Amino acid sequence: MSDCLFCKIAAKEIPAEIVLETDRALAFRDVNPQAPTHVLVIPKEHHADAAALAGADDGLADDVLKAAHAVAVQEGVAEAGYRVVFNTGPAAGQTVFHVHAHVVGGRDLGWPPG
Ligand code: 5GP
Ligand code: ZN
């Protein structure tokens, strides 16, 4: 998608602080972090949201989840605990419509979320 922000980050056309890259996934720091660790994990291939990713049906969702966990380990938050969030749709606060997992950790996280 030529006008998609995260496609442009995946294509390295827009800079981002990349923390992990695999064949099919990319992880980079959120520009407006909500916790000491706040990394976004995307499939390089464009899918609008988690529902579309779930429908990809080729193991891509599996790759994204595995990359999210690898980021948590790499960031040193896996043992204490962390959160993986897919805001899906406007009512959930999704603002960028290229699916992304937020990997959030490094502080105590309240529940329920806002
Ligand atoms: P959403 O609200 O869609 O779940 O999350 C979008 C996230 O993307 C937000 O947390 C926002 O801070 C982040 N974001 C928006 N634009 C950019 C950008 O250009 N670079 C990076 N690294 N993060 C961005
Ligand atoms: Zn995209």
Side-chain angles (χ1 to χ4, degrees), residues 68-92:
H69 177 63
V71 165
V73 170
Q74 189 175 296
E75 292 284 310
V77 299
E79 203 165 320
Y82 62 98
R83 194 166 287 166
V84 179
V85 176
F86 289 93
N87 293 326
T88 306

Side-chain angles (χ1 to χ4, degrees), residues 42-64:
I42 64 168
K44 292 178 178 175
E45 184 177 286
H46 183 88
H47 293 278
D49 58 19
L53 179 62
D57 202 26
D58 62 354
L60 189 57
D62 193 46
D63 286 2
V64 171

Side-chain angles (χ1 to χ4, degrees), residues 5-6 9 14 16 28-32 38 40 87 93-96 100 102:
L5 175 63
F6 286 178
I9 288 177
I14 289 178
F28 51 94
R29 295 199 191 282
D30 195 295
V31 78
N32 182 24
H38 189 172
L40 303 176
N87 293 326
Q94 186 176 3
T95 58
V96 178
H100 48 282
H102 296 255

